[in-house]
Amino acid sequence: MTWHDDQERRDELYRDPYPLYDRARRAEGLTYVPEFDAWLVARDRDVREVLLRAEDFSSAGALLPDISLSEAALGVLPRGFGPRPTVVSSDGAAHRRHRAPLNRGLSAARVAALLPYARACAEELTDGFAADGSAELVEAYARRLPGMVVGRLIGLDPADVPAAVHGGYRAEELLFRPLPPEGQVAAAEDVVALQHLLDGYVRDRRAHPRDDMCSTMVAALAPGDAELTLEQRHELVTSLQNLLIAGFLTTSALIGTMLLHLLGDRRQWRMLRDDQSLVPAAVEEAVRHDTAIQAFRRTTTRPVTLAGTKLPAGATVLVAYGSANRDEERYERAREFDVTRPVNRQHLAFGYGTHGCPGSQLARDQLRLTLDLFLRRMPGLRLDPDRPRPRMRPTLIHRSPQALYVTW
C-alpha cells in the first residue's frame, strides 16, 4: 500500500469513524487499527479506566502529528518557539502546574463575565448575514465566534484575533494534513508568525500585568518579576498557543456539528423553536452525539492489561471519546440524535478525570447562546436544499463539517 493509499484510508476513517467504533465495541478486548498505529479503546468503561490511570497511560504523546515534515519546513520552525510540554501532553506534577492557571482563568466567575462579550460578538456576526436569507455558517460564524471569545479571554487585541486564529488553523493543518513541500513551508511560516505574536504578549504582560489569562499564565509558569528567560518564553508561547487553539478549534467544530444535526432533522429544530427550554438538552446531546475531539493518544508506561488485552510498555492506545459517547451499554438508543434525551453531563465529550477540559463551561455557553440567537433571529433556518450534504473534515481532533450552507 502506498503512502497516498494509506492517507486515503485514514481520511476515510477520520470522516466517518463510527462504523469502526461499532465493530471495536463489539469485539473482544482491544482492536488494533493499523491506520492509527494504535490499539483502539472504544468502550465507555475502558475509556474511563484509561483516563483514571494516568500513571499507567501517559499523555506525553497525546498530540503526536500524523505528518512527517519536510526538511524545508523543519528549517522554518526553529525561528519560532517550542515545542514544549503543555497541559495536554504532560502528566503528574507537570500537568498540575500547567492546569492550575487554566482552572483559575476559566473559573465560573470569569466565564460568566465573558458571556456578555460573547453574546455581543455573536449578534455582530449574525448581523453580517441575517438579512441575506442564506449563508455558509462555518466561515461566517462557527470559525469566528470562538476565536473572538478566546482572544478576549487571553487578552489579545481584537485586531490581532484573525491572525491568531489563522495561525492556529495553520498549525493544525501543518501537523495533521498532507501538504506539498511548499505548502508545508508556508504553513510553518504562519505558525512562526503566530508564535512571535504570542511572545510579544507574553513579554508585555511580564512588564505590564493585566486581568487576563495571558497575565495569569505568565505569573504561574514564570513566577517573579525578572525578565523572562528564553526557555520561559518557549514554554509560555507553547502553552498559550495550545490554549488558543483548544479554545477555538473544538468550540468551532461543536457549533458546526450541532447545527448540522439539528438542521438535518427539521422535526428536532422545530421542537426547539417551539420549546426553547429544550436548548440545554440539545447542547448536551449535540456534544455527546458527535463530539469535536474524537480521540487522543496515550502511551503505556509499563506492561498493562486492558479489556483483557495485554499491552507492553510503550504501546500506543487511541482513547476514543467519540466511541464511548455512543456506547449502547451506557446510553439507550446511543446512535440516535435526540434533543428530548434527559440532560446528562456525564458523557465524555469534554474528557474525564485529571485531563477533563477546563473550558467546557465556556464551550457550552457559546453553543447555548448560538441556539438562543439563531432560534430568535432565524427560526426558519434549514440546510440549503440546493447544496450537497455537508462533508466532514478528515480529522479526529476537531470533527466538523467543512462547510454548512443554510437558508431561512
Side-chain angles (χ1 to χ4, degrees):
M1 180 179 289
T2 67
W3 178 89
H4 179 76
D5 290 336
D6 183 64
Q7 186 66 42
E8 286 290 322
R9 172 62 178 153
R10 183 182 293 173
D11 283 1
E12 181 183 335
L13 286 176
Y14 282 168
R15 291 186 195 277
D16 185 11
Y18 292 108
L20 171 62
Y21 294 161
D22 290 345
R23 293 193 299 272
R25 287 195 304 274
R26 292 193 299 268
E28 288 189 20
L30 304 182
T31 298
Y32 183 76
V33 183
E35 291 82 2
F36 301 146
D37 191 22
W39 295 90
L40 181 63
V41 185
R43 287 175 285 269
D44 178 273
R45 64 177 182 272
D46 298 331
V47 168
R48 291 175 191 268
E49 180 178 347
V50 170
L51 296 177
L52 290 178
R53 293 172 60 184
E55 70 281 3
D56 294 333
F57 296 92
S58 171
S59 296
L63 286 175
L64 286 177
D66 285 346
I67 301 298
S68 297
L69 298 183
S70 67
E71 289 188 15
L74 290 172
V76 171
L77 291 174
R79 301 179 205 158
F81 293 83
R84 297 293 189 275
T86 69
V87 69
V88 174
S89 58
S90 57
D91 302 304
H95 171 75
R96 291 190 292 273
R97 174 174 169 268
H98 285 288
R99 175 85 182 206
L102 298 180
N103 288 343
R104 290 195 296 273
L106 286 161
S107 68
R110 284 182 175 264
V111 169
L114 262 179
L115 287 185
Y117 179 77
R119 289 192 189 94
C121 290
E123 291 276 6
E124 179 184 348
L125 290 172
T126 307
D127 286 344
F129 56 77
D132 297 339
S134 64
E136 195 286 285
L137 288 179
V138 172
E139 289 297 336
Y141 184 91
R143 276 196 167 210
R144 297 179 67 185
L145 175 66
M148 298 164 82
V149 173
V150 75
R152 177 75 162 220
L153 172 74
I154 290 172
L156 302 184
D157 186 314
D160 287 332
V161 167
V165 170
H166 173 73
Y169 276 110
R170 294 290 273 166
E172 190 273 341
E173 188 176 17
L174 177 66
L175 297 176
F176 295 99
R177 298 303 307 143
L179 296 171
E182 63 275 15
Q184 284 194 351
V185 168
E189 289 173 344
D190 287 342
V191 171
V192 168
L194 167 64
Q195 292 171 347
H196 282 283
L197 174 68
L198 295 176
D199 180 54
Y201 277 93
V202 164
R203 289 183 287 117
D204 176 77
R205 295 308 193 267
R206 170 60 109 202
H208 309 288
R210 300 185 188 179
D211 184 20
D212 57 30
M213 181 67 93
C214 185
S215 300
T216 298
M217 293 178 72
V218 169
L221 300 181
D225 55 11
E227 183 176 346
L228 294 170
T229 67
L230 182 58
E231 178 57 32
Q232 287 172 327
R233 289 164 60 197
H234 274 282
E235 181 178 57
L236 283 161
V237 168
T238 303
S239 294
L240 268 180
Q241 179 177 292
N242 175 77
L243 171 61
L244 173 74
I245 295 173
F248 69 73
L249 205 69
T250 54
T251 306
S252 294
L254 288 171
I255 291 172
T257 51
M258 175 181 71
L259 293 171
L260 171 65
H261 293 300
L262 280 171
L263 299 177
D265 184 344
R266 291 287 300 163
R267 180 183 61 85
Q268 300 209 52
W269 178 260
R270 287 193 295 268
M271 289 171 61
L272 278 188
R273 182 189 62 196
D274 297 340
D275 181 5
Q276 294 190 29
S277 71
L278 290 173
V279 165
V283 166
E284 295 306 318
E285 179 67 347
V287 299
R288 179 204 68 84
H289 179 74
D290 209 1
T291 190
I293 296 181
Q294 287 281 300
F296 271 155
R297 288 177 171 84
R298 295 287 188 269
T299 306
T300 56
T301 60
R302 62 179 183 86
V304 299
T305 299
L306 180 67
T309 299
K310 294 182 178 180
L311 301 172
T316 299
V317 296
L318 193 68
V319 186
Y321 311 109
S323 177
N325 282 344
R326 293 197 187 185
D327 190 332
E328 298 84 351
E329 291 189 4
R330 187 169 183 90
Y331 304 101
E332 186 179 348
R333 299 175 291 106
R335 299 182 191 181
E336 295 182 25
F337 178 77
D338 181 4
V339 299
T340 67
R341 193 184 297 272
V343 175
N344 179 1
R345 288 191 165 207
Q346 302 308 308
H347 53 70
L348 296 174
F350 296 109
Y352 182 67
T354 57
H355 280 270
C357 176
S360 59
Q361 188 56 48
L362 184 57
R364 284 178 164 108
D365 286 338
Q366 290 177 77
L367 296 174
R368 191 186 70 248
L369 70 86
T370 293
L371 285 184
D372 289 341
L373 174 63
F374 285 11
L375 287 163
R376 172 168 53 85
R377 297 191 59 176
M378 298 174 290
L381 196 63
R382 67 182 64 234
L383 295 178
D384 189 333
D386 296 327
R387 297 278 187 168
R389 181 169 177 82
R391 198 169 190 216
M392 304 304 286
R393 296 183 183 280
T395 174
L396 285 180
I397 61 170
H398 68 288
R399 177 173 169 78
S400 61
Q402 290 182 308
L404 196 63
Y405 290 94
V406 296
T407 63
W408 56 91

